[in-house]
Amino acid sequence: MTDQHPATSTSPAARTESPRRRWAGLVFISVAVALIIVDSTIINVAIPSIVRDLAITSTQVQWVQESYTLVFAALLLVFGTLADRYGRRRILLLGVVIFAAASVLASAAQSGDLLIGARLIQGIGGAMVLPTTLSLINANFRGRDRGIAFAIWGSTIGGMVAVGPLLGGWLTTYFSWRWAFGINVPLGVIIVIGVLVFVSESKDAGEPRRVDVVGAVLSVITSATLVFGLIEGRSYGWWLTNKPMVIGGFTWPYSISPIPIAFAITLLAGTAFILWGLSRQRAGKTTLLAFSLFRIASFRNGNIAALIVSLGEFGIILSLPLWLQNVLGYDALQTGFVLLALAIGSFVASGFAGAYGNRVSPEMIVRVGIVLEIVGVAGLGLVITADASWLSIVPFLFVYGMGVGLATAQLTGVVLKDVPVEKSGQGSGTSSTARQIGSALGIAVLGTVLFTSVGSSLDAKLADVPGLPESARTQVVDAVVDSAGAAIPALEAQSPAVAAAARDAFSEGTRYSAFAAAGFLVIGLLATLRLSGTAPHRDGREPEADAGAQASAAVTPADKPV
C-alpha cells in the first residue's frame, strides 16, 4: 500500500512569489550550474602548469581530470532523490558550500594526491548542485516560462563548456593555475546569498520518508564501476592488461585487465539495483529511483536519446584544445578565445528558443539542434589540418554551439515534461546520469579514436623519414601519444621533419575523432524520432494546465516509509 501525494510539491511561498523574484532566482540557479560546468572544463588548459608546479606523474594527471567525473556521475541519482525528500534548495546550498570548500583545498594543494582528493570532494558537491537546479526549475516554472527557463539552463551549460577554457587560460597565463580553483570561492558566496534571497524551498509534500540505503550503495557501485571502465579502458586495456593498475602499495597482478572485472561488477550491481528497487516498490517502500517513471514515453525515450547524443556532443572538446595548443601553437588564452565561438553560438540559440519555443514543438527544436551539431562537428573534421587557422574553425564552432544550446535545453525539457513535480529530483537525476554516462562513453571512445589514430598514423609517417631507426621511431610515437601531443613542440628543435610528421598525425587523429563524434550524433538524431511531439498553443501555454499532475496518474508512488 502506498500513500498518495498531491501533484505539486512547491511550498506556498513558491506558488505565490512574484515572477520577478522567480526569474531573479533563475539567474543564481544558472550561476550555480555555471560554477560546476566551468570547473569541469577549466582544468584542461591548466594541466601543463599544474604538472610543472607540482611535478605530478602522468597517472596523477589522468586522475586529476577524471576523479571529478567518477564521483559526480556516481552520486547524481542519490542526491537527486535526497533533494526531493529533504529540500531542493537545501541540497543545492549544501552542494555549493562543499564545492567551494573543496576548491580552497585544490587551490592550496602542494601535491598531486592532495589535488586529486580535493577533486573527489568537488565531485560530491557538483553532484548535489546539478540535479537540484533542474528540479527547482521544473517545480517553479510552468508553460512557456518553463521552456525559456530550460533554454537558459541548457545554454548556460553549453556556453560554460567554452568559457571554462577561456577563463582558465586567462587565469593560468596571467596569474596562477591555483586561481582556476580559487575563483570558485567568491562565486560560491554570491550563489549562496542569491539563492537564499530569491529561491523558495521546494520538496515532496508527503510525510518524510527513509532513504533506500541499499539502493543508494548499489547505484553508486554501478555508476562508479561503469564510468571507471569506460574512462580507463584505453589505459589498462579493454581485455588484457596493457599496464598494471597501481593503487597505493597494491599492483594489479593478473594478465586480464581490471576493466572487464569492473564491467562485470557493473552488470551484477546494476541488476541487483533494479531487482531490489522493484521489490521495494511492490512492497510500497521508498526507492531511490521511481522505476514507474519509465512508463512515461517522453521520459523513457528522451533519456535514451540524451544518452546517445551525449556520446558525441562534447567529445570534440577533449581533442580540440590539445590540437590547438600542441599543433597550431596557440597558448591557453588564445585557445580559450577560439572556443568562445561555441559559447556565443549557444547563447544565440537561447534567444531563438525563447522566441520560437511557443511556436515550434520542443521535439523539433531538439532535432534542429542535433542537425546543427552534426554540421558543426563534421565541418571541423573537414577543415582540421596541421596548417589550419582559427578563421576556418570558428564558424563551425559557432554552428556547433547553436546546436548544443538548442538540443541540450529542449531535450531536458522533453524528458521532464510529463514527470510529476514530486518526482522531479529523481527524474532530473536520472536524466543527468544518462548524460554523464553518455559523455563518459564518448570521451572513452573518442579518446581511443584520437590516440590510436595518432599512434598508427605517426608510426607510418616516421617510417618515411630517412635515417630514423625503428627504436627512435617507437620512442617518438610513445612520447607524442603518452603526452597527448605535448611533446610535439619540443620535437621541432630536434628534428623539423619528425615534428612535421607529428603535427600531421595529430591533426589526422583529431579529424577522425570529429567524424566519430558526428557519427554518434547521427545515431542520436535517429533516436529522437521516437519522441512524440506535442503542438504548442498559440499563447505559449502547455496543452494541459499541469503536465506533472496528468502524468501522476500513470506513476505509482513508491513513497511509503519503511
Side-chain angles (χ1 to χ4, degrees), residues 320-360:
L320 199 57
L322 296 174
W323 174 73
L324 288 169
Q325 293 189 52
N326 296 325
V327 176
L328 298 191
Y330 293 176
D331 61 27
L333 184 58
Q334 291 171 323
T335 298
F337 274 117
V338 172
L339 295 179
L340 187 61
L342 193 157
I344 295 173
S346 183
F347 282 107
V348 169
S350 174
F352 174 87
Y356 295 95
N358 62 329
R359 305 179 191 177
V360 183

Side-chain angles (χ1 to χ4, degrees), residues 87-291:
R88 296 163 186 132
R89 189 181 73 163
R90 178 179 301 170
I91 296 298
L92 171 62
L93 290 171
L94 181 60
V96 171
V97 170
I98 291 175
F99 193 89
S103 297
V104 173
L105 296 176
S107 65
Q110 298 300 317
S111 70
D113 290 339
L114 290 176
L115 181 58
I116 292 168
R119 292 286 285 169
L120 287 169
I121 299 173
Q122 277 189 316
I124 297 173
M128 291 182 173
V129 172
L130 186 61
T132 51
T133 59
L134 263 174
S135 55
L136 281 169
I137 292 174
N138 201 42
N140 293 330
F141 291 89
R142 287 290 180 272
R144 181 172 180 267
D145 287 351
R146 178 187 282 181
I148 296 174
F150 274 130
I152 294 172
W153 180 89
S155 295
T156 299
I157 290 181
M160 290 305 105
V161 169
V163 172
L166 177 63
L167 180 60
W170 177 67
L171 292 171
T172 301
T173 302
Y174 293 104
F175 299 95
S176 166
W177 65 266
R178 297 182 184 278
W179 275 106
F181 296 104
I183 193 68
N184 295 331
V185 178
L187 288 176
V189 173
I190 293 171
I191 293 167
V192 169
I193 295 174
V195 169
L196 286 173
V197 173
F198 294 107
V199 179
S200 299
E201 183 59 281
S202 170
K203 61 181 178 180
D204 268 3
E207 60 181 285
R209 297 153 293 154
R210 296 179 183 176
V211 177
D212 175 13
V213 177
V214 174
V217 172
L218 290 173
S219 169
V220 170
I221 293 174
T222 301
S223 301
T225 52
L226 176 60
V227 173
F228 171 83
L230 294 174
I231 291 176
E232 296 288 2
R234 183 179 61 84
S235 298
Y236 295 131
W238 294 105
W239 183 250
L240 297 178
T241 300
N242 290 339
K243 68 174 184 179
M245 180 178 67
V246 179
I247 302 177
F250 172 77
T251 301
W252 184 259
Y254 307 108
S255 59
I256 186 173
S257 168
I259 301 306
I261 306 300
F263 285 144
I265 295 173
T266 299
L267 181 61
L268 293 173
T271 301
F273 171 72
I274 294 172
L275 295 176
W276 173 262
L278 290 175
S279 67
R280 288 179 63 87
Q281 183 171 273
R282 285 192 297 268
K285 298 178 180 179
T286 183
T287 59
L288 181 66
L289 174 65
F291 292 95

Side-chain angles (χ1 to χ4, degrees), residues 58-102:
S58 59
T59 300
Q60 289 175 317
V61 167
Q62 194 171 19
W63 276 108
V64 167
Q65 294 175 309
E66 295 172 357
S67 55
Y68 178 88
T69 303
L70 282 170
V71 176
F72 186 80
L75 295 177
L76 278 174
L77 271 179
V78 175
F79 289 126
T81 301
L82 290 176
D84 279 348
R85 296 170 183 173
Y86 300 114
R88 296 163 186 132
R89 189 181 73 163
R90 178 179 301 170
I91 296 298
L92 171 62
L93 290 171
L94 181 60
V96 171
V97 170
I98 291 175
F99 193 89

Side-chain angles (χ1 to χ4, degrees), residues 382-536:
L382 293 174
V383 301
I384 286 175
T385 61
D387 55 357
S389 74
W390 65 269
L391 289 173
S392 61
I393 302 165
V394 164
F396 290 109
L397 276 175
F398 177 81
V399 173
Y400 176 63
M402 284 196 66
V404 170
L406 291 175
T408 299
Q410 296 302 317
L411 188 53
T412 299
V414 168
V415 169
L416 297 178
K417 70 176 183 177
D418 296 326
V419 173
V421 174
E422 68 268 16
K423 298 294 184 184
S424 60
Q426 290 175 301
S428 62
T430 303
S431 174
S432 299
T433 299
R435 288 178 180 275
Q436 289 297 315
I437 291 174
S439 297
L441 178 58
I443 290 171
V445 174
L446 296 179
T448 298
V449 170
L450 170 66
F451 295 116
T452 301
S453 300
V454 169
S456 60
S457 175
L458 181 56
D459 187 65
K461 292 179 184 298
L462 292 179
D464 297 330
V465 175
L468 187 67
E470 183 176 354
S471 59
R473 188 169 76 230
T474 301
Q475 290 178 353
V476 170
V477 171
D478 290 344
V480 171
V481 173
D482 292 343
S483 68
I488 295 176
L491 293 173
E492 188 70 41
Q494 301 175 15
S495 173
V498 171
R503 286 195 297 270
D504 287 337
F506 206 92
S507 298
E508 286 187 13
T510 306
R511 187 162 57 247
Y512 294 147
S513 179
F515 288 142
F520 282 128
L521 290 168
V522 169
I523 298 174
L525 178 63
L526 297 176
T528 64
L529 299 179
R530 294 181 58 85
L531 298 174
S532 57
T534 303

